[in-house]
Amino acid sequence: MLLSKEQQDSVVNLLIEDGLVDAAAVKKAYTEVQKSGQPILAAIKSKNLATDDSIQHATAIITHTPYIDLRQIKFDKEKLLKIPQEIAERQKVVPLGLQAGQLVVAVLDPTNIQRMDYISTLVKMPVRPIMTSEAGIQNAMMQYVADLKDVNKVAQKEEQNKTRSSEAQTITQDSPISKALTSILDYAAKSKASDIHIEPLEKSLIIRCRIDGVLRKTMELPKSIEPALISRIKIMAKLKIDEHRIPQDGQFAVIVNDNEIDLRIATSPVVWGEQVVIRLLDKSGTSMEVESMGMTGRALKDVLEGISRPNGMILTSGPTGSGKSTTLYALIKKIKNESINIVTLEDPVEYKMDGVNQIQINTDAGLTFASGLRSILRQDPDVVMVGEIRDAETANLAVQAALTGHLVFSTLHTNSAAGILPRLLDMGIEPFLIASTLNTVIGQRLARRVAERRESHQTSDLETNSIKQIVGNLLPQSAAEVATKSEAMGYGTLPIATSPSFTMVKGIETEDAPGGYKGRVGLYETISVDDDIQKLIVAHATSGDIMRVAKMKGTITMRQDGTLKALTGLTTMDEVNRVASDLA
């Protein structure tokens, strides 16, 4: 609290009158502050001539401000829950209870209007400040810890999580809002959800989770819980809780069921409030092996050949959420060893890998894919991974890196593997440069896996004819060919092409397998850029022309890959049609 010289003198006189400070010591302090220009109260505090409690109390009396001594108070847990612990500690504010529609709070400086406005916005009601001392605040903070946390459990958690990221947080408060958020995150983690959507409606709050690529409504909460829940998420993500007019982005990590999960937060204003989308990244559930992700046969052969070369580009494409980044990580893992320097540019860094120098893009600081790529090329890398090629400048730099002896991995947003080539032409890359630098291009989608509990059925005539039209030429033509053809294709035992119907499987829906699916499998198509494909690129051929030649050379399309996986029980034709219906 800022006091005038006269007010400070009055506080000092009151302390002397009450015998709380030695008059001779104060007189000496006055002499010193006249020389230094230091305020008298600051001098008394620095010399420990009076306690902070007595100075604060005397200040309250002189300024006619209500005062409370918190040092001996036993707090009611419900009152402390009015303000989250981390906010109370940072702002040095203690909620005391409700009075006449106002939240009464104890603070060091009741005249700090900005702080009072912040607290009022946080609790969604007017606040009435009462003055207290630093020691009183500390006493209240100790009771926050004692009352709101199970000390033994927290100690055990901290011991278990010592090696985990220092940014990770454990949601342990007992407030209804914390319990609600914990329940939402627990369910999402258990269900292996990739995203949580918190969507306000006129009279309720809907929670939906994207499980295996499909959004599902998981709960409906009262509308009244919305402000507190959104504020709680914003606080943990270090966002502005009083900003509701513009979108905000943030991130934090939590420990859920003993697993560390990174969360990316995106908020945006909508008609009925503020929507929050939380993207989850559970680092414990990914094998990072291309084979276990579903890459097999010709696709696996093309990719392994591409990454075995000392330079060139390997590009993967697909829509958002199709697993492109995970594929790149798996390929990086395959080639990683102590003899090569691998540097990545990512936005964000999703998986932290030992032995790989990973750089987080920071556009606010001027670190973009293009500027970062220029910089890392001066760091003697052997392998460069660029999270995404978004513009012509980044594309040009990636091509130049591949030309100068580097192996470059990156992603593009196109619908198919062949679509990568015209997309690079659209970005202004010269055809001869594309032809000479590309090793392998990959197109991919993610389809849901059939759950372990399943039942079989025979395809109808219409389904049988459709399957034969898509993959009839890839299936064994006789019983004698089944073993050799199946082994060569790499999909498991394939049915005979001339069968009157095919045996397909369907998962049985359970609580752990909604819709009869659990987990996902990749559908892939790859094009190895050889002399014939290079000639097509230089001739500005369309993606259709390129794919036709690639198929003649043995490329299996995503739709064919999905159909073969459905025939061998990995997924269903419904899933293949859902994710790859736009592909030939």
Side-chain angles (χ1 to χ4, degrees), residues 203-264:
K203 297 180 180 178
S204 63
L205 188 67
I206 299 297
I207 311 297
R208 296 197 292 168
C209 292
R210 189 177 294 279
I211 302 171
D212 293 333
V214 178
L215 274 174
R216 292 180 175 273
K217 179 180 173 181
T218 58
M219 64 179 75
E220 187 169 351
L221 300 173
K223 183 71 172 177
S224 58
I225 203 175
E226 179 192 335
L229 181 62
I230 303 301
S231 294
R232 176 66 179 159
I233 294 169
K234 285 185 174 182
I235 287 167
M236 298 186 76
K238 296 181 174 61
L239 302 178
K240 296 178 181 177
I241 66 170
D242 56 345
E243 179 57 79
H244 310 287
R245 300 165 299 170
I246 60 174
Q248 297 187 74
D249 295 312
Q251 61 185 34
F252 62 98
V254 293
I255 307 297
V256 178
N257 297 330
D258 294 331
N259 289 331
E260 182 180 339
I261 299 178
D262 285 339
L263 306 176
R264 292 192 332 217

Side-chain angles (χ1 to χ4, degrees), residues 448-498:
R448 290 181 290 177
R449 286 181 184 263
V450 178
E452 290 185 8
R453 291 188 60 192
R454 54 181 66 185
E455 55 190 13
S456 60
H457 65 278
Q458 296 300 122
T459 56
S460 66
D461 291 343
L462 183 63
E463 291 170 329
T464 303
N465 291 333
S466 175
I467 290 170
K468 288 181 178 180
Q469 185 177 355
I470 298 170
V471 295
N473 63 314
L474 301 175
L475 298 176
Q477 302 300 312
S478 65
E481 285 187 19
V482 170
T484 55
K485 187 83 169 181
S486 297
E487 184 179 355
M489 295 289 290
Y491 287 90
T493 303
L494 295 169
I496 301 171
T498 55

Side-chain angles (χ1 to χ4, degrees), residues 5 23 162 173 181 213 243 246 299 318 355 406 439 449 451 490 545-546 564:
K5 184 179 181 302
K162 273 181 181 177
Q173 282 85 352
L181 182 56
E243 179 57 79
I246 60 174
H406 304 89
N439 294 351
R449 286 181 184 263
D545 292 336
I546 292 169
L564 292 171

Side-chain angles (χ1 to χ4, degrees), residues 309 311-313 403 421 425 430-441 527-541 545-546 549-550 553:
R309 300 179 190 175
N311 53 58
M313 295 175 67
L403 281 173
L421 308 172
L425 290 172
E430 292 294 337
F432 71 90
L433 291 177
I434 300 173
S436 59
T437 55
L438 274 180
N439 294 351
T440 309
V441 291
I527 299 175
S528 183
V529 181
D530 58 12
D531 291 342
D532 292 330
I533 300 295
Q534 287 180 352
K535 291 174 183 177
L536 290 174
I537 295 171
V538 173
H540 288 255
D545 292 336
I546 292 169
V549 173
K553 290 176 168 291

